[in-house]
Amino acid sequence: MKRDYLNGTPYTLYQKPGMYHFNSDTELLGRFIEVKHNDTVLDIGCAGGALLLYANMHEPASLTGIDLFEEVIEQARENLAYNSVEAELIAARIQDFKGRQFSLILCNPPYFKTVNPDLINENPVLAAARHEKYLSMDDLFASAARLMKDGGRFMMVHRASRINDLFETAALYGLRCTRMKIAYETEGRRAKSAAMEFRRTKQAEIRIEPPAYMDRRDTFSERGK
């Protein structure tokens, strides 16, 4: 069974065919997150468990992952067990998930607001990972705001081209972006992705971190730092 190294960690994951595989955006968010020892962490759409493994490197108080499909949760369970990492894993719609709140919420959500059903992947697992069919941007921010403790943080990655949509939707739920890191495929190209941190705050300024360049995957180079 081939296992793939998760860049920047001591962990490896098995990624089953037909399921969402971690990529450079996963790594961007994984390296961007700031986790405290007393954090209770929730990963919305945990897939194979990559973001939970990144979070575990900081030794938080607890880890919880939620995903729509039981077979995806089983893959995450196998990967976490292989790496001796403990987490609560739940198969459910985040819109229906209730019971407690978290100090840190993570998400690598579906990016595409696809209207034409013919353009949506026939594989339901990949369709859920890539298109807003099961989790709209509005539902995501509503769920994050509902499940976030006072003083909590919501960290996510998304397409840089949708930053305006993200900020407008976040504002509907009393959330503001307080920190951001922009990623480029290579120097001189348009921005590809953005990792962002949202909080309930009146703070107007955003801390913009040095950019990431994805063509230097060994270090996720931060030129100009």
Side-chain angles (χ1 to χ4, degrees), residues 27-60:
E27 182 181 353
L28 173 65
L29 182 56
R31 292 177 181 267
F32 174 82
I33 60 176
E34 295 178 345
V35 186
K36 303 172 185 176
H37 289 314
N38 63 345
D39 270 332
T40 52
V41 180
L42 171 66
D43 180 11
I44 299 174
C46 64
L51 287 176
L52 292 171
L53 292 173
Y54 275 114
N56 187 68
M57 293 177 62
H58 305 274
E59 301 180 350

Side-chain angles (χ1 to χ4, degrees), residues 39-110:
D39 270 332
T40 52
V41 180
L42 171 66
D43 180 11
I44 299 174
C46 64
L51 287 176
L52 292 171
L53 292 173
Y54 275 114
N56 187 68
M57 293 177 62
H58 305 274
E59 301 180 350
S62 68
L63 296 170
T64 301
I66 188 168
D67 207 288
L68 196 57
F69 302 98
E70 185 60 51
E71 58 265 39
V72 175
I73 289 295
E74 184 57 34
Q75 177 183 236
R77 184 174 290 114
E78 293 171 1
N79 281 326
L80 294 174
Y82 182 89
N83 290 287
S84 301
V85 173
E86 294 185 3
E88 179 183 14
L89 299 172
I90 302 164
R93 294 173 74 247
I94 192 62
Q95 297 93 323
D96 302 328
F97 180 68
K98 300 175 182 177
R100 62 190 183 281
Q101 294 181 309
F102 300 84
S103 61
L104 175 59
I105 299 176
L106 310 176
C107 189
N108 181 357

Side-chain angles (χ1 to χ4, degrees), residues 106-121:
L106 310 176
C107 189
N108 181 357
Y111 290 162
F112 305 111
K113 190 176 181 179
T114 308
V115 177
N116 185 349
D118 293 335
L119 300 178
I120 297 177
N121 199 296

Side-chain angles (χ1 to χ4, degrees), residues 24 27-28 31 183 212-214 216-222:
S24 57
E27 182 181 353
L28 173 65
R31 292 177 181 267
Y213 295 88
M214 295 178 177
R216 294 192 56 185
R217 294 299 310 283
D218 56 335
T219 59
F220 233 61
S221 174
E222 296 179 347

Side-chain angles (χ1 to χ4, degrees), residues 28 181-184 208-213 220-225:
L28 173 65
K181 187 179 189 71
I182 306 294
Y184 301 80
I208 306 293
E209 299 191 349
Y213 295 88
F220 233 61
S221 174
E222 296 179 347
R223 301 174 194 173
K225 186 172 182 179

